[in-house]
Amino acid sequence: MRFPIEERFPRPSVMGVVNVTPDSFSNGGVNFRTEDAVASAHRMVEEGAALVDVGGESTRPGSEGVSAAEELRRIVPVLEELGGSVPLSIDTAKAEVARRALELGAELVNDITALRGDPDLAEVVASSGAYLCLMHMRGEPRTMQDNPTYEDVAAEVTSFLEERLHFAVDAGIPVERICLDPGFGFGKTVEQNFELLGRLGEIVALGRPVLVGLSRKRSLGRILGDPDATTGPLSASLAAAVEAYGRGAAIFRVHEVREHVEALTVAAAVPR
Ligand code: HH2
């Protein structure tokens, strides 16, 4: 019997990102070799990460996706090395990949499609007792930045997450194992991302812990004045994380763990 996710990962908890990919937008290739990925994961835990999110498929804008076989080929050796020694989540939308990762010790499934990508994933999560992150995305990575439009981005993302939460619970996944993510950068303009950050409290009000992935996102580079930026710097990532914390975010998916742990420790020390 697992703890509710808010007890297992109390606010603020930092999730370190290990992309076992050649082409991630943020750090493509640095952890593509198994030994580099394993070393990064250990270092992140030493730096204060509450868990490490391992992914074998880039979701950067415009990317095509890879097969389950290729995703498994990338992540299984890493999880085999890490199993048991590091708290792990698996960044995948594929049931087959999630199943193997859970067997190898992962405790959270981070699904950027919010159980819309693979009809078998809900059952894998429900029967394993894993934690689950449901994320909002408009469209799919290949096309998601083609002029996304919303009447009211915060209201639409919030009602989408509420609907996916009901779907997951109806599929047999206990509500206390689920967290929600607005999906910064997934089918949103710079303005929409900042609107969403400002109104994060509306998602927090759904009553589930909120996970945010703002680290290095291109909107941060663009707000700093480069209209063609594909990433954002650490300084901007930290500011965004602290703003999200102030609005109730609980789990922070980041590339630079130590700096985020330090910034969030300071933010959390301020009485509210
Ligand atoms: N962002 C990315 C990937 N997975 N998962 C959640 N829950 N939230 C996010 O914001 C999120 C995510 C994209 O970042 P990254 O992993 O650095 O890049 P890539 O997808 O290109 O590997």
Side-chain angles (χ1 to χ4, degrees):
M1 177 61 187
R2 290 192 196 269
F3 296 113
I5 191 166
E6 49 268 59
E7 287 178 28
R8 177 71 183 90
F9 302 112
R11 199 174 159 255
S13 282
V14 168
M15 166 193 262
V17 179
V18 172
N19 290 317
V20 193
T21 57
D23 57 348
S24 287
F25 89 96
S26 51
N27 56 0
V30 298
N31 287 316
F32 194 40
R33 292 183 345 164
T34 301
E35 53 271 43
D36 294 333
V38 168
S40 291
H42 282 300
R43 193 192 66 245
M44 287 175 177
V45 171
E46 276 162 28
E47 292 179 353
L51 83 168
V52 174
D53 190 38
V54 176
E57 175 178 62
S58 172
T59 54
R60 75 183 187 289
S63 64
E64 290 285 351
V66 298
S67 67
E70 175 60 17
E71 228 178 295
L72 285 165
R73 203 182 59 73
R74 294 176 181 182
I75 61 129
V76 165
V78 176
L79 297 182
E80 279 176 346
E81 287 267 328
L82 289 173
S85 63
V86 165
L88 290 168
S89 84
I90 178 70
D91 188 349
T92 191
K94 298 187 183 79
E96 191 184 340
V97 175
R99 191 181 297 113
R100 189 78 188 105
L102 294 168
E103 283 167 9
L104 290 169
E107 56 184 308
L108 185 148
V109 175
N110 175 21
D111 177 14
I112 64 159
T113 74
L115 300 179
R116 295 174 302 157
D118 184 332
D120 298 329
L121 184 55
E123 164 56 22
V124 170
V125 175
S127 60
S128 66
Y131 297 117
L132 174 66
C133 179
L134 297 170
M135 195 194 81
H136 176 272
M137 170 168 54
R138 169 65 63 84
E140 57 183 51
R142 197 169 49 79
T143 54
M144 66 190 177
Q145 292 307 110
D146 301 347
N147 191 27
T149 54
Y150 301 84
E151 291 240 319
D152 179 335
V153 67
E156 287 172 54
V157 169
T158 303
S159 74
F160 170 89
L161 290 173
E162 188 172 25
E163 187 274 318
R164 298 319 293 167
L165 182 62
H166 287 305
F167 176 89
V169 170
D170 287 347
I173 303 166
V175 70
E176 64 271 14
R177 292 199 198 135
I178 303 173
C179 66
L180 305 175
D181 182 342
F184 289 105
F186 287 85
K188 288 129 191 144
T189 63
V190 176
E191 294 70 29
Q192 289 159 356
N193 283 312
F194 277 88
E195 167 91 12
L196 207 44
L197 177 55
R199 291 170 59 189
L200 200 67
E202 295 175 32
I203 300 171
V204 172
L206 292 175
R208 299 310 308 140
V210 170
L211 187 154
V212 291
L214 287 152
S215 177
R216 296 188 185 170
K217 290 275 160 87
R218 64 162 63 170
S219 286
L220 303 175
R222 295 192 179 185
I223 213 79
L224 294 177
D226 175 357
D228 302 319
T230 55
T231 62
L234 172 61
S235 52
S237 305
L238 294 171
V242 168
E243 287 289 335
Y245 176 78
R247 288 165 175 76
I251 304 174
F252 299 80
R253 185 180 182 278
V254 310
H255 302 83
E256 284 103 345
V257 168
R258 181 185 305 282
E259 291 84 350
H260 279 85
V261 168
E262 290 174 355
L264 290 164
T265 302
V266 171
V270 180
R272 285 173 206 270

